[in-house]
Amino acid sequence: QQQVKQSPQSLIVQKGGISIINCAYENTAFDYFPWYQQFPGKGPALLIAIRPDVSEKKEGRFTISFNKSAKQFSLHIMDSQPGDSATYFCAATQLQGAQKLVFGQGTRLTINP
Amino acid sequence: GAVVSQHPSRVICKSGTSVKIECRSLDFQATTMFWYRQFPKQSLMLMATSNEGSKATYEQGVEKDKFLINHASLTLSTLTVTSAHPEDSSFYICSARDTIGFTGELFFGEGSRLTVL
C-alpha cells in the first residue's frame, strides 16, 4: 500500500523555537510532496510543497528538507508562534496519472506562549 | 489563491435520511475533484475521485451506492450520503485541481460536518 508515515503524532514547542515534523514514504514514483495546515473545523490549506529535484525549499519561516535516497522529507517551522498551533499533514502524490494525494497521519502542533 | 466552496458547512439529519453536500470551484475549472472523509483527530481518507461527465472512481471499501457522487459541470461536484446512519457522522472535505493552470496544488474546501442522529 502506498503509505506516508508521519511523526510525531503531537508536538509541543515554546514560542520562538523550531518545530520539526518528519515524514517517510514508500512509493518512489511520488514526485510532489506538499504540507498542509489544518485548523479545527476547517479544511486543510497548502503551506509549502517540494518536488524531488531539490533538497530544500524555503518560504518565510517554513522550510521543507527532502532526502530522496532515504525517502524522507520534513517540515521545519522557524521562530514558531502561537498562531502556528494547528494540525499539520504531509502528503505525497504522482503528478501524472490519477494524482491522488496520500496523507500522513497528522501532527498536532502546540506552540506555548 | 483559488477558492473551493462547500455547502452546507454543518448539517444534522435523522438516521435513514439522505444528505447532499456541494463542492464548487469558484474561480477555476476542475475536471477532477476529490472527496475525503475525516474522523476526529485522524487524517484525511480519500473516498472517491469525481470526474466531470463520467462516473466517479471509488476507493476500496467505500460503498458507491451509499455515497453518490455527481460531477455535472466543471465547477460543481456533489456528494449524497444516502440512508445516513450515525456511523456516517464525519467531516467531509472536497478538493479540486485547476485544470488549466495546473501546478500540482490541490485546493480544499472548508469541509462539511455531518451529524446523523
Side-chain angles (χ1 to χ4, degrees), chain A residues 39-64:
Chain A
F39 292 104
K42 301 294 184 181
L46 179 66
L47 201 58
I48 187 173
I50 197 168
R51 302 286 295 272
D53 52 345
V54 296
S55 60
E56 185 175 282
K57 183 175 181 180
K58 183 176 182 179
E59 291 184 0
R61 296 185 294 111
F62 301 94
T63 300
I64 299 179

Side-chain angles (χ1 to χ4, degrees), chain A residues 9 32 36 38 41-46 51 89 93 95 98-101 103-106 108, chain B residues 34 36 38 41-44 46 49 59 91 93 97 102-106 108-111 113:
Chain A
Q9 190 172 12
Y32 179 70
Y36 289 89
Q38 185 180 31
K42 301 294 184 181
L46 179 66
R51 302 286 295 272
F89 293 96
T93 189
L95 292 181
Q99 302 166 353
K100 296 187 290 187
L101 271 177
F103 281 89
Q105 294 83 352
R108 177 168 285 192
Chain B
F34 301 91
Y36 293 85
Q38 186 179 34
K41 298 185 180 181
Q42 293 190 21
S43 188
L44 287 79
L46 180 64
T49 302
E59 295 300 301
F91 194 49
I93 309 171
R97 180 173 282 116
F102 175 66
T103 61
E105 181 175 358
L106 263 184
F108 283 82
E110 287 292 287
R113 184 162 302 283

Side-chain angles (χ1 to χ4, degrees), chain B residues 3-106:
Chain B
V3 177
V4 174
S5 174
Q6 270 185 253
H7 178 80
S9 57
R10 287 190 180 87
V11 57
I12 301 172
C13 70
K14 293 182 178 180
S15 185
T17 61
S18 294
V19 174
K20 179 185 285 188
I21 300 170
E22 293 186 348
C23 177
R24 294 180 185 273
S25 56
L26 296 187
D27 52 0
F28 65 98
Q29 294 181 332
T31 56
T32 302
M33 293 183 174
F34 301 91
W35 285 96
Y36 293 85
R37 183 173 182 175
Q38 186 179 34
F39 290 108
K41 298 185 180 181
Q42 293 190 21
S43 188
L44 287 79
M45 297 301 297
L46 180 64
M47 298 175 65
T49 302
S50 172
N51 302 297
E52 187 266 337
S54 64
K55 292 183 179 180
T57 304
Y58 290 82
E59 295 300 301
Q60 191 173 8
V62 178
E63 299 175 60
K64 62 180 181 181
D65 295 329
K66 181 168 187 60
F67 299 99
L68 300 179
I69 292 173
N70 183 278
H71 194 154
S73 77
L74 286 172
T75 60
L76 174 64
S77 176
T78 61
L79 169 68
T80 301
V81 183
T82 63
S83 186
H85 291 283
E87 58 265 29
D88 298 323
S89 297
S90 187
F91 194 49
Y92 292 87
I93 309 171
C94 71
S95 67
R97 180 173 282 116
D98 188 339
T99 301
I100 297 175
F102 175 66
T103 61
E105 181 175 358
L106 263 184

